[in-house]
Amino acid sequence: MIQITFPDGNVREYPNGTTAMEVAESISSGLARNVLSARINGEVWDATRPIEGNATIALLTWIDKDGKSTFWHSSAHLLAEALEALYPGVQFGIGPAIESGFYYDVDLGDKTLSFDDLPAIEKKMLELAKEKNTYDRREVSKEEALAYFTEKGDTYKIELINELEDGTITFYQQGAFVDLCRGPHIPDTGKIKAVKLLSVAGAYWRGDEKRKMLTRIYGITFPKQKELKAHLEMMEEAKKRDHRKIGQELELFMFSERVGAGLPIWLPKGNALRERLMNFMREEQEKRGYKMVTTPHIGKKELYITSGHYAKYGEDSFQPIETPREGEEFLLKPMNCPHHCEIYANKPHSYRDLPLRIAEFGTVYRYEQSGELHGLSRVRGFTQDDAHIFCTPDQLKEEFLNVLDLTKTVLSRMGFKNFTAQISLRDPGKPEKYIGSDENWEAAERAIIEATDEVGLETVQELGEAAFYGPKLDFMVRDAIGRSWQLGTIQVDYNLPDRFELEYIGSDNQPHRPVMIHRAPFGSLERFISILIENTAGKFPLWLLPEQYALLPINEKVVDYCKTIADKLAIHDIRGFIDDRNESIGRKIRDTELKRIPYMLIVGDQEAANGNVSVRRQGQGDQGIMTLDEFAAHFQEVLNIEKEA
RNA sequence: GCCAGCAUAGCUCAGUUGGCCAGAGCAGCUGAUUUGUAAUCAGCGGGUCGGGGGUUCGAAUCCCUCUGCUGGCUCCA
C-alpha cells in the first residue's frame, strides 16, 4: 500500500500503482468524470498513470489552470490526428497549449491551408473525439523514437528527438496517431465536445526567421458546447472595444495611405485627450523636480554613432537624410536620449546639481516592419513622455524609487489595475547582444530588483528581454483581445554616460561619471491611449474628457437658458457644449449616448421655468431633476471617486 | 520582411457561375417639423468598385503587380 496525501492534508492508503483516476473514483464518480489530469508530487501527470510510492495528489479538472492546459494540449493532438487523416504525409512541428487554447505547427508540403479549410478539420476532430480513444503513454528508447519518425518521414520530430536524452523520451498515442510528447494528456478524446479552429498563420520553425515557415493552426476546445458559445461571444464583445474601431467612431485619430502606414494623425478630439494627458504628466513631473526641454526631430548620424545606436540599429532604421550641398547625414531621431545627453554635456556639473531630470514629450520615428504595424499600438512615429535622470551612483536607488512612485501614480489615476511589472534582464547565454561592462550590468540589475522589492511591487523576471544597453522595468498591460503590450518603462543605463563622456565634479573635486535613468511612465502617448480606449471601451474618466456634458435643449426657446447654464458650469470647471441642432430630443440623446459623453443635461420649458436641469448619465439613463448646485456637487463627487480609485 | 486572408459611397454592408447605365441603410445637403429621455418626415446629391497592368466581345467579379488593412511569425532602442 502507498500513502496518498490530498491538498487538504488528508492521507489515504491505496494499492501501489493506483492511478489518479482510481483515486478520483474512490471519492465520487462525478469527480472521476471530470478529472483531466493530476498534480503528483508537484508535477502534472496523466490521470491514468500508475503512482508508484507515497505521493501528494491534486486532482485537476476544467477549473484548474493546469487542467485546462492538459485539455488543450490533448486537443492539439486531436487536431494533429485529424490533419493526418485529411492530409496524408503532413509533417508535424510542435503543438502546445497556450493561454487560451492551443496551436499546432505543421508542414503540408506544397499544400496551402486557408481559413476556409478549417471547418472540415473541425468536423474531423469532433468525429475522432466521439471515438473516445484513450491517450496511451509509452516510454521509448531514442533509437526506437528515431526509427519511428524516420520511417514516417517527419524531419521536425527527428530534429527534436536528437536533442533529447535517451531514457526520457515518451510517445503518446490516441487512435491511429502517435506523437512524440512529454505529456500529460486527458484520459480520452471523448471529453472534447466543442471545437473551434480560430485562425491559420505562418510561423517560422523554432521561431527562427531563417528557417522554414510552417503553417500554424490556432484553436480552442471546451468540454461543453455552451462554454464554446460563451467564449466566442466574449471575443465578439472584446472586438467592440478595439481602439481602432472606437478611435474611428469617436473621431480620435486616423491613418492615411498617402501620409504613410504606421503614421497616426490625431484629430481634434483625440488631440484634446492627448493634451490633457500631457498636462497631467507635466504637473506630476513638475512636483517631482523635472525640467522640460524641446529638442529637434533629427540629429546628425555622428550623434548615433557616438551613442552606439547606429551600429546596433542603423541598418534597420529609416535611412539618413542628406543635406543637398554639404552631404551631411541626419537621422530621424529614434529616441531622445542622445539629445538629452548633449544637454547634460552643455555645461559642467557639480554633484550638488544632481540629480538632473530632463523631460520632453519627444516624437520619435522608428522603422517597424510593415507586418508589425497595428493601430496606435505599433507605429512608426510616436511621442514618448520621455525623461532622462542623471544622478550619482549613490542616488540611483532613490531616483528609481521616485520614478516607480510616479509610474504607479499614473497607472492608478488611469484606473489600470491589471498590469504586470516585468524586470527584463540579460540573456546570460548571449553576451554579444549587449554593450557595457559586466560590472555595470550587475549593479543596474541589482538596483532594479532592490527598488521594486522595497516598494513591494510584485514583479516577474524575464531573461533576455533587456535592452542592449541595460536592464529595465516595464509595465505591461493587456489589450481587448488579451495581447500584452509594454506601456511604462524605467531603464538604468551606465553605457550612454560613458559613450558621451558625461561627468560631474564630486565632493572630492574629482570628475565622476553619472548614471542615467531613461523613463517613460506612459511609454508612448499612442500606445497608452490605445490601451486606455480598450480598457474603458471609449468611456474615458471624467477628469480627462474635453467634453464632459452635452446640454440638450428640447426646443429653441430654451437655448438662451442653456447658455446661462453652460456659463455657470464653466465657473465650476465643468466642460461641455450645447446641442442646439433642430432635432428631436430622442435623436440628441441617442447621438450623445453614442459619443459616450458621460452627462446629458436635458432642458425644456419646465427646467427653464424652475431653474434646474434634467440629468441623464451615459449608459445609465435618467437620473432625475437637479439644481445646478446639486449637479456640480454630484460632479465633484464623481471626480473625487476617480481620484481615489 | 515572411505565411494566410481582405479592400465596393464618409461609415456599415449587398452585388448569384464575368453580361444592360453598380445597390441599400446610416451619414451629408435642401425643405417641412419645435419636439420630454437611444433614430420626425420628404426630396436630392454622392462611387473611374484601393492604384497600375493583363486575359476576354465584355471584368467589381479571373490572372499579375504595387499600396493599405486583418490575424499570426520574426523583430521591437
Side-chain angles (χ1 to χ4, degrees):
Chain A
M1 297 298 271
I2 55 171
Q3 294 195 327
I4 299 285
T5 310
F6 289 85
D8 61 4
N10 265 333
V11 180
R12 288 168 74 163
E13 290 207 334
Y14 290 92
N16 198 22
T18 293
T19 67
M21 185 53 78
E22 286 158 358
V23 172
E25 273 159 4
S26 75
I27 298 166
S28 90
S29 60
L31 178 59
R33 266 200 306 280
N34 289 321
V35 165
L36 299 172
S37 55
R39 195 177 298 109
I40 308 296
N41 296 326
E43 212 177 298
V44 184
W45 276 28
D46 304 309
T48 51
R49 185 167 163 190
I51 302 164
E52 315 279 343
N54 294 343
T56 61
I57 190 170
L59 298 167
L60 301 172
T61 66
W62 183 249
I63 59 167
D64 299 289
K65 203 165 165 242
D66 287 327
K68 272 199 185 72
S69 146
T70 307
F71 189 86
W72 283 331
H73 182 197
S74 298
S75 301
H77 279 232
L78 183 65
L79 167 61
E81 186 184 356
L83 288 169
E84 195 160 69
L86 294 170
Y87 306 97
V90 56
Q91 291 192 57
F92 294 99
I94 56 164
I98 53 177
E99 204 169 311
S100 188
F102 59 90
Y103 67 78
Y104 218 118
D105 282 347
V106 300
D107 183 347
L108 293 147
D110 294 335
K111 161 88 185 150
T112 57
L113 204 66
S114 81
F115 189 75
D116 299 332
D117 297 316
L118 298 181
I121 305 171
E122 282 168 13
K123 204 176 145 215
K124 190 74 189 173
M125 284 173 74
L126 286 167
E127 206 179 295
L128 292 167
K130 285 211 183 90
E131 292 178 5
K132 297 188 180 171
N133 290 316
T134 52
Y135 288 86
D136 299 320
R137 181 177 189 276
R138 184 156 63 91
E139 291 178 11
V140 293
S141 69
K142 191 164 182 170
E143 194 186 353
E144 190 186 341
L146 283 172
Y148 178 82
F149 282 104
T150 305
E151 163 77 28
K152 205 179 158 199
D154 214 327
T155 52
Y156 305 101
K157 294 292 179 189
I158 293 168
E159 183 177 328
L160 293 173
I161 293 165
N162 275 322
E163 288 167 25
L164 294 174
E165 243 172 75
D166 201 0
T168 64
I169 301 172
T170 50
F171 277 6
Y172 275 83
Q173 174 163 11
Q174 92 272 13
F177 178 74
V178 178
D179 203 353
L180 168 73
C181 184
R182 191 181 332 134
H185 285 285
I186 57 177
D188 68 82
T189 59
K191 301 212 176 305
I192 303 170
K193 302 278 198 220
V195 174
K196 181 73 186 171
L197 297 180
L198 299 163
S199 65
V200 280
Y204 299 108
W205 171 234
R206 313 209 88 176
D208 183 344
E209 68 180 314
K210 291 183 187 68
R211 304 197 64 177
K212 183 161 183 186
M213 181 163 269
L214 306 182
T215 303
R216 176 170 297 178
I217 302 171
Y218 283 93
I220 193 160
T221 51
F222 293 91
K224 287 182 188 147
Q225 192 63 39
K226 215 166 69 184
E227 286 165 322
L228 171 62
K229 199 170 158 240
H231 177 79
L232 294 176
E233 276 166 13
M234 205 185 73
M235 305 255 297
E236 282 306 309
E237 280 308 303
K239 274 192 200 154
K240 290 183 192 158
R241 304 168 77 92
D242 191 313
H243 76 275
R244 293 165 298 189
K245 187 176 158 64
I246 292 176
Q248 181 183 292
E249 283 168 8
L250 299 186
E251 297 182 344
L252 300 176
F253 58 88
M254 60 169 275
F255 290 90
S256 148
E257 260 186 53
R258 251 193 265 224
V259 171
L263 299 171
I265 295 170
W266 288 92
L267 299 170
K269 286 176 186 170
N271 199 62
L273 192 65
R274 250 173 87 102
E275 289 292 335
R276 289 195 179 276
L277 286 170
M278 289 197 280
N279 285 338
F280 164 68
M281 187 60 73
R282 282 192 190 101
E283 281 169 31
E284 291 298 325
Q285 288 183 162
E286 198 170 334
K287 283 184 211 163
R288 292 171 171 83
Y290 288 80
K291 304 290 179 207
M292 299 282 313
V293 298
T294 300
T295 66
H297 286 224
I298 61 174
K300 273 168 79 177
K301 183 170 142 185
E302 285 68 28
L303 179 67
Y304 300 100
I305 290 173
T306 303
S307 72
H309 293 110
Y310 190 78
K312 185 82 185 170
Y313 291 104
E315 301 281 310
D316 295 316
S317 294
F318 287 116
Q319 292 306 293
I321 306 163
E322 283 183 38
T323 55
R325 298 278 167 82
E326 301 81 354
E328 294 169 295
E329 294 183 291
F330 292 88
L331 290 168
L332 280 166
K333 71 174 171 186
M335 78 292 296
N336 307 295
C337 33
H339 287 78
H340 290 186
C341 283
E342 286 300 292
I343 292 174
Y344 182 90
N346 183 47
K347 64 170 197 180
H349 292 277
S350 151
Y351 70 99
R352 293 186 225 265
D353 302 336
L354 303 183
L356 181 66
R357 309 181 186 93
I358 299 177
E360 172 174 17
F361 291 100
T363 303
V364 298
Y365 300 89
R366 295 179 186 175
Y367 166 72
E368 302 287 358
Q369 302 185 96
S370 55
E372 268 310 323
L373 301 172
H374 179 90
L376 286 182
S377 320
R378 193 78 187 272
V379 289
R380 285 176 170 168
F382 56 94
T383 302
Q384 296 177 309
D385 57 329
D386 210 359
H388 296 94
I389 299 166
F390 300 88
C391 63
T392 70
D394 289 349
Q395 294 167 331
L396 178 64
K397 199 154 134 196
E398 195 184 331
E399 283 307 302
F400 202 94
L401 288 167
N402 184 12
V403 175
L404 222 42
D405 174 66
L406 172 62
T407 308
K408 287 176 80 176
T409 302
V410 169
L411 290 173
S412 77
R413 196 74 173 81
M414 298 298 156
F416 290 176
K417 295 196 180 66
N418 301 317
F419 59 82
T420 315
Q422 174 183 312
I423 300 178
S424 298
L425 305 170
R426 276 176 301 181
D427 182 343
K430 292 183 185 162
E432 74 282 359
K433 278 178 70 178
Y434 308 99
I435 56 179
S437 73
D438 264 5
E439 199 176 80
N440 284 344
W441 270 90
E442 273 160 32
E445 292 183 346
R446 205 179 322 118
I448 295 180
I449 292 167
E450 283 178 12
T452 50
D453 277 353
E454 210 156 291
V455 296
L457 182 69
E458 202 179 307
T459 58
V460 293
Q461 295 189 8
E462 293 289 341
L463 293 177
E465 290 293 312
F468 74 93
Y469 53 76
K472 53 183 184 169
L473 173 67
D474 291 328
F475 290 82
M476 319 288 289
V477 180
R478 285 178 190 282
D479 70 10
I481 62 170
R483 286 179 292 213
S484 188
W485 296 92
Q486 174 206 312
L487 291 183
T489 181
I490 313 173
Q491 313 185 1
V492 179
D493 189 348
Y494 287 93
N495 177 55
L496 228 41
D498 248 3
R499 292 186 148 261
F500 280 83
E501 300 180 327
L502 304 181
E503 290 181 344
Y504 65 90
I505 303 300
S507 55
D508 57 1
N509 200 27
Q510 295 298 309
H512 298 275
R513 188 121 296 165
V515 185
M516 192 173 166
I517 300 173
H518 310 246
R519 42 103 288 176
F522 289 146
S524 81
L525 287 164
E526 284 72 13
R527 185 177 288 175
F528 189 85
I529 291 175
S530 78
I531 295 291
L532 183 64
I533 292 170
E534 302 201 355
N535 269 254
T536 60
K539 297 173 192 172
F540 301 112
L542 203 51
W543 68 274
L544 257 184
L545 280 172
E547 290 174 341
Q548 296 164 321
Y549 69 82
L551 259 165
L552 310 182
I554 287 174
N555 62 55
E556 250 171 30
K557 291 171 294 187
V558 297
V559 171
D560 283 340
Y561 172 66
C562 286
K563 285 179 183 156
T564 67
I565 295 174
D567 289 344
K568 284 179 188 158
L569 290 175
I571 294 168
H572 292 279
D573 202 22
I574 300 175
R575 309 177 285 271
F577 66 98
I578 301 169
D579 182 356
D580 59 0
R581 292 176 304 161
N582 178 7
E583 290 290 352
S584 69
I585 191 64
R587 161 54 69 96
K588 289 182 186 181
I589 287 168
R590 177 179 159 80
D591 289 351
T592 314
E593 286 277 349
L594 291 176
K595 277 167 37 190
R596 297 163 170 84
I597 290 170
Y599 287 97
M600 279 153 269
L601 305 179
I602 295 156
V603 173
D605 293 334
Q606 290 167 38
E607 288 79 6
N610 299 326
N612 53 28
V613 291
S614 172
V615 178
R616 180 187 168 101
R617 251 183 118 161
Q618 201 271 352
Q620 296 174 37
D622 197 351
Q623 308 285 301
I625 301 287
M626 289 188 201
T627 66
L628 273 197
D629 287 340
E630 283 167 349
F631 176 67
H634 162 81
F635 195 90
Q636 191 56 49
E637 199 181 316
V638 173
L639 282 178
N640 289 340
I641 291 168
E642 274 182 4
K643 215 172 227 170
E644 284 158 19

